[in-house]
Structure formats: C-alpha cells, structure tokens
Amino acid sequence: MLQILRSTLVALLLTGTLAQAVLPPPPTLKSAFAKHFLIGAALNQAQFSGKDPRGASIVIAQFNTISPENILKWESVHPELNRYDWEGPDQYVAFGVKNKMFIIGHTLVWHNQTPKWVFEDAKGAPLGREALLARLRDHIHAVVGRYKGKINGWDVVNEALNEDGTMRETQWLKIIGEDYLAQAFQFAHEADPKAELYYNDYSLENEAKRNGAIALIKRLQAKKVPIRAVGLQGHNKMAWPSVEQQDLTITEFAKLGIKVNITELDVDVLPPASDYRGADITVNYELQVKLNPYAQGLPDAMQRDLARRYAELFRVYVKHAAVIDRITFWCVTDGDSWLNDWPIRGRTSYPLLFDRLGQPKRAFTVVLSTATTKF
Ligand code: GLA
C-alpha cells in the first residue's frame, strides 16, 4: 500500500500535477500576476463614489490599478469653456489613493466625448491652430496639474488612426496639423514630469493599423516625445485577434523600446451586428432578438469557450510580461460593460471575469491559472 502511495507521489511530482494539486492558484488577480504586471479595471462613478459597494469591494480585492470609464473625458471634466467639474474626478482619484492603486487618467485628446465648443470661438466659427493649441494646453495643464503626483499615467491621445493606418481626420488634425500629438504629450509632460504618458488605440493587432501606429510612435520618438507605452485597448472578439496576431503585435511594439499595455480588455461573445469589427463608439444598430441570444443566461459551453479564449490571451500576456506594465479590464462585472449597449442597445453581454452578481466566472479561475504558465 505504502509502496503504491509512494510511487503515485513520485509520478505526481514528476508530472508537476502535485504542485498544482497542493498549491491552489493564488486567489486574486493582483496577487496571481504580482510578478508579471499590474491588473486593473475601468471604474464607473457608482463604484468610486460609494453607491456600488459590491463593485468597489471587487475592485479593492482584485485590482491594483484603476482607469476612469468616463469621468476624465473632456465632456465630463470640462463641459463648458470656463467650467471644470471636479467632483467625480476628485472622488475617483481619492478612491485610488486610499486603496494605494496605480491611477490612470483617460483621456486628454480624443475626437469622441469632446464638446463642440472646444473647436469653436465664441461666435461658433472654427478656431485657428494657435487658439486651439492654447485651449488644449490650458485643458491639459488644468487636469493633469490638478492630479500631479496622484494620477500615475495618462492616455494622452486616444484613437488618432484610421483602420488603414492613416491619420484620422479629426478636428485636432484638421485645425492643428499632425503635431497635435507631440504638442499634447509635451503639455502633459510639463504639467506632471513624472507621469507616464501613453498613446492608446483599438485594432492595433491588424497589420495596416499597427504599421500606422508604429510609424506614428517613431515620429514622436524622433521629436523626443516622452512616450512610455502604447495601449492596446483589447476590445476582443472570440476569434479576433488570433493568438499569433496578439503575440506579433506585442513583439513589434516592444521593438520600439516602449512598454505595451492592454488597457480596455474585454471579450465580446455576442454575434456581430455587421461586418464592422472596430470599437468606434458611435456605431449603433437596431436590436434584433437573434442578435441577443443569451438574454436568459450564458450556456455552459459558451462559459467554457470564453474561459478558453481568456486563457489563450493571458498566456500571450504572461509570455510578454517583461514588456507589459499593466492589463486593465474595461469595467468590473458583466452588468457594467459598455458591450450591453454597443453596437446595439439593450443586449445581455458576458465579456468580463465577474458575472452580474459579482461572482467570479469560470474564466476568472482559468485566467488565474495562466499566471504559472512556463515559457
Ligand atoms: C473606447 C474608449 C473608451 C470607452 C470604450 C467603450 O475604447 O477609449 O474610453 O469609451 O471605447 O466604452
């Protein structure tokens, strides 16, 4: 009997399964990945203002970095020319400081969720380059300056590129010209020289857009712009990007000597509404029952597929941990996710690791286990 036990033990040890059997994976995301990267989530106002204690407790237990889902976007923090609204941002930052988290600011320059007045003079005529640059500088100095030493990293520019890698024709580009990016980074650097500064975008796993981003970052580097990292938003589908695409994308950006962060991670399990595969938040389609197949719950087989999908992505992140500072999920529980309303309003989506009751899903457990992947 003893002999059988001993040989079983030896066999288990040799295959490594004993280690897994007696040493359960660490119970939280932040502890599991402590040696690899920070793990975060984007917070809504209810979570950091005290209205959603359940959400806040998940954040405090699981994450060591936070991003603001909306509260620091231009339209929220600076709704009118002479009015900033600091209440929400102050609460967000206080929540992060209190819980000793790495606090992200999102986002200083974007074409969405930016009021029309930003680009116009008092009569509604388009601003010229110098006037818009002055306005941008004021905004960045006000917002970055207020949280100097507290917000640790800023998405300076969000989504400056088209799918083919060319520059997106935003008001920023049209009025200021391409150096709006370098200028914005410079203003942010002046306002808080210690803050990390990032370029953030979606679909950079696709070759054309990635090449555009690489060229853009090289141009910024040639101007000595202090860019710490590129943010891959990571609004993923079940079959996109492929593991190979994800792997190659991280490798290619890391060659620029910058870090590569995953900044808005989620996995969309719902059927696509069209052929469109990007993350442009202005896209919207009609609700149809066939496009909302899991309104009553996600079938077990899909839970397993989602867990598998998360595992394959996290194995790539763990492989590249040396160049990744941070992996941030876009929202905390499935119920919080923008994917319930985009690109179709009113669907029931399941893109995250915590379900609508705040309970960890199968994908959570599987993600934890990837922390011990050996390469
Ligand atoms: C983009 C933006 C985010 C957020 C998401 C969707 O990725 O960067 O701020 O709006 O879309 O919620």
Side-chain angles (χ1 to χ4, degrees), residues 69 73 106 110 113 158-159 233 235 264 281 330 338:
E69 188 182 2
K73 290 174 180 170
H106 171 88
W110 195 22
Q113 295 181 259
N158 198 31
E159 304 177 354
Q233 290 187 0
H235 292 301
E264 304 187 14
I281 61 163
W330 202 248
W338 71 302

Side-chain angles (χ1 to χ4, degrees), residues 351-368:
L352 296 163
L353 301 189
F354 297 92
D355 69 16
R356 285 175 164 69
L357 299 174
Q359 294 301 311
K361 294 155 64 173
R362 178 189 291 262
F364 170 86
T365 315
V366 171
V367 162
L368 281 183

Side-chain angles (χ1 to χ4, degrees), residues 274-350:
S274 75
D275 291 339
Y276 178 69
R277 291 288 180 278
D280 182 339
I281 61 163
T282 58
V283 173
N284 197 259
Y285 301 96
E286 284 290 299
L287 178 60
Q288 294 170 34
V289 174
K290 70 171 197 281
L291 297 178
N292 189 22
Y294 311 124
Q296 306 310 323
L298 194 65
D300 260 7
M302 285 297 294
Q303 291 285 10
R304 274 195 291 275
D305 286 351
L306 178 67
R308 245 194 310 273
R309 176 68 174 138
Y310 261 115
E312 70 181 17
L313 290 168
F314 264 83
R315 277 194 287 270
V316 180
Y317 307 152
V318 169
K319 175 180 168 195
H320 290 281
V323 297
I324 297 179
D325 285 333
R326 167 171 67 93
I327 308 283
T328 297
F329 290 87
W330 202 248
C331 300
V332 179
T333 73
D334 285 343
D336 304 321
S337 173
W338 71 302
L339 290 172
N340 295 301
D341 289 308
W342 182 91
I344 302 177
R345 280 192 200 289
R347 294 202 293 180
T348 308
S349 195
Y350 301 84

Side-chain angles (χ1 to χ4, degrees), residues 5 20 25 30 36 57 67 69 86 94 104 116 126 136 138 161 165 192 214 221 232 250 283 299 314 322 362:
L5 261 179
Q20 279 178 12
K30 66 180 175 189
H36 300 97
S57 71
S67 298
E69 188 182 2
W86 299 119
I104 301 299
K116 226 159 99 337
L136 179 62
D138 285 351
L161 294 165
D192 186 353
I214 289 171
Q221 289 175 322
L232 312 181
I250 298 173
V283 173
F314 264 83
R362 178 189 291 262

